[in-house]
Structures are given as structure tokens and as C-alpha cells.
Amino acid sequence: MGQGVLFKDNNGPVHIETDRRVARSSVLGKLIEIIATAEPALVDLTREPAEIEKKIQFNDLTTHRWIIQQYVENALLVDSSVTQLNKMVNSGSTKLKRQMKLFYWQALAQFGISNFPDDLQKLKTHSDNVVAKVLTLTGDFVRSSSDLQSGYFDEDIEFGVVLITSYSIIECIVLENPNDHN
């Protein structure tokens, strides 16, 4: 009998990782530090948000519509938290939006959505799946962050992930702004 693992009827990639590495310096890691501390190019990620209901309808968001409601109910908490983030981290909200945009693009790629405005109908078909993927990517990223030490409940993390994602939708970082497609 041979060694290895057999996945019967597997339709996707399987990645099993055993981490036996010792943390070492790397050129790639050093480059990431340089990029992270550099003055960012003046890319304006602030956009004139669309009216909320118009955006929901434009993107055909249905099953994840409740995420928007979470933002509406907690807008003051989100806004004050983003203000505090900017005080703690230079260009914190810009870095947050940039990361959420990356999650959005990864989610779009998973569903083969890449060419706007041609793929707009495909986005509308998969908008709820795209939001679900952004939630998953955000949650996984946050849970693996070394900044989150013990003492935080999973419920707090889940709530925060929903608020961050809803903020990104409202700010037109995740999903499309109808004002851009007129």
C-alpha cells in the first residue's frame, strides 16, 4: 500500500500544510516591511457612496441584505472605531479599504468575474456569494492575526467581521457603486 492520502471524487485543490519551519528573516519579508511603512501613493479610496437601497438593488443583494442592516444599526460604533484606527495606525482606514478591496477581488475571481462592465450581470447573479466569500476571507484573516490575543470571544470577532464587511459595502469598496455604472 502506497503512502499518501486519497480524496475520492475531489473537484478542487487540497492544501495540507505542516508547519515545521523556524521563523527566519527573508528578503520577501523585508520588502513587505518596506512597502508597509512607505508613504502610500495618493490613491483615493473614498468614493461617493450610493444611496443604500439603490446599491442593494443594483447589486441584487438578497440573502446577505441583513449585513447592511447591521451597519445601519451600528454606524456610530463603526465610524468612531475607524476614527480611532486612524489615530493608532497611520492611514489605517486606507489600509483597511485596500485589504477589503483585495478580498473583494479574490471573491470576484472565484466566481470568474473580472471584466467590468461586461461581467456586471454575472456579479449580480453571484453578489450574495461574493459577500459570503468576503466575510470568510475577512474572518480567516482576522482570526490568524497576531494582534488578536486571547480574551476575545468568537461572537465578538464574528460581529466585528460583519461590521467591517458592511462598512466596506457602504463605502463602495465591496460590491459595485451604481453611480459608477450609469
Side-chain angles (χ1 to χ4, degrees), residues 15-131:
H15 180 75
I16 300 172
E17 193 172 301
T18 55
D19 194 5
R20 295 183 184 165
R21 296 173 287 164
V22 175
R24 299 183 196 279
S25 296
S26 71
V27 172
L28 185 59
K30 189 54 70 181
L31 182 57
I32 297 296
E33 283 181 8
I34 293 167
I35 290 170
T37 57
E39 282 296 316
L42 294 176
V43 176
D44 187 10
L45 291 174
T46 58
R47 298 165 65 193
E48 188 62 37
E51 190 267 317
I52 293 173
E53 192 58 37
K54 183 179 176 185
K55 181 167 182 152
I56 290 170
Q57 290 174 0
F58 179 80
N59 286 279
D60 289 346
L61 193 63
T62 55
T63 60
H64 284 84
R65 185 181 194 109
W66 61 271
I67 292 173
I68 305 300
Q69 187 59 37
Q70 289 299 307
Y71 177 84
V72 170
E73 292 173 7
N74 296 283
L76 293 177
L77 172 62
V78 175
D79 291 345
S80 66
S81 297
V82 169
T83 299
Q84 185 175 351
L85 174 68
N86 281 327
K87 291 177 183 175
M88 296 169 61
V89 177
N90 186 25
S91 302
S93 63
T94 300
K95 291 177 182 183
L96 168 68
K97 290 176 182 178
R98 190 173 56 207
Q99 183 61 51
M100 294 306 292
K101 187 63 127 179
L102 289 173
F103 290 153
Y104 178 52
W105 287 333
Q106 289 172 15
L108 291 175
Q110 181 176 340
F111 295 99
I113 304 166
S114 61
N115 190 12
F116 288 106
D118 297 343
D119 284 347
L120 193 55
Q121 190 54 48
K122 194 187 265 188
L123 170 65
K124 290 179 178 191
T125 301
H126 294 288
S127 62
D128 284 293
N129 296 326
V130 167
V131 170

